[in-house]
Amino acid sequence: QVQLVESGGGSVQAGGSLRLSCAASGHTHERISMAWFRQPPGKEREGVARVFIAPSGSSTFYAGSVKGRFTISLDTANNTVYLQMNTLKPEDTAMYYCAAVSNRVAGLEFDEYNYWGQGTQVTVSS
């Protein structure tokens, strides 16, 4: 089992920045995909960014809508994944979720992941 706890959400004006954190605990595999998803009000959950972590290194992947604005990174010492969000837009308003799946290079489809956090709200005003 892997437990995920998100933090760092809040309200900002358009053009601002936020950094989300996802702390992982439990039985984390040495090869693991961790991702950020978001679900705007009344819409489906969508993948935002993913980092695949292995002993040999890590790789990242982004949705087109956030590429160049969002950065996913990790702190292996603290088992924490971050999502730095810059140049925020009102359409970035959503509940943001952290997700994980062990021993798999996953993409940004929600059904690829079997561990989820409870989410943190991000609201961007115009």
Side-chain angles (χ1 to χ4, degrees):
Q1 287 289 336
V2 176
Q3 292 80 45
L4 303 172
V5 178
E6 304 98 332
S7 61
S11 298
V12 295
Q13 290 192 327
S17 299
L18 280 175
R19 189 178 78 160
L20 306 183
S21 301
C22 173
S25 62
H27 296 288
T28 54
H29 198 277
E30 63 176 4
R31 288 165 48 89
I32 186 170
S33 288
M34 296 188 69
W36 287 95
F37 285 75
R38 66 185 181 186
Q39 187 163 17
K43 297 186 178 180
E44 293 185 352
R45 195 170 299 191
E46 62 177 357
V48 173
R50 180 271 287 152
V51 59
F52 172 68
I53 306 158
S56 58
S58 63
S59 64
T60 58
F61 181 75
Y62 296 91
S65 59
V66 306
K67 199 169 185 179
R69 300 190 297 123
F70 291 10
T71 303
I72 189 169
S73 62
L74 63 100
D75 178 352
T76 53
N78 293 305
N79 285 340
T80 300
V81 173
Y82 301 98
L83 185 69
Q84 178 66 44
M85 305 185 295
N86 298 328
T87 320
L88 282 161
K89 305 175 181 180
E91 51 264 42
D92 295 318
T93 294
M95 184 71 78
Y96 282 71
Y97 298 90
C98 181
V101 59
S102 297
N103 203 26
R104 177 176 180 174
V105 184
L108 291 177
E109 297 296 326
F110 75 90
D111 59 2
E112 296 181 90
Y113 295 82
N114 53 0
Y115 299 110
W116 292 86
Q118 63 271 70
T120 185
Q121 178 68 38
V122 171
T123 302
V124 184
S125 58
S126 57

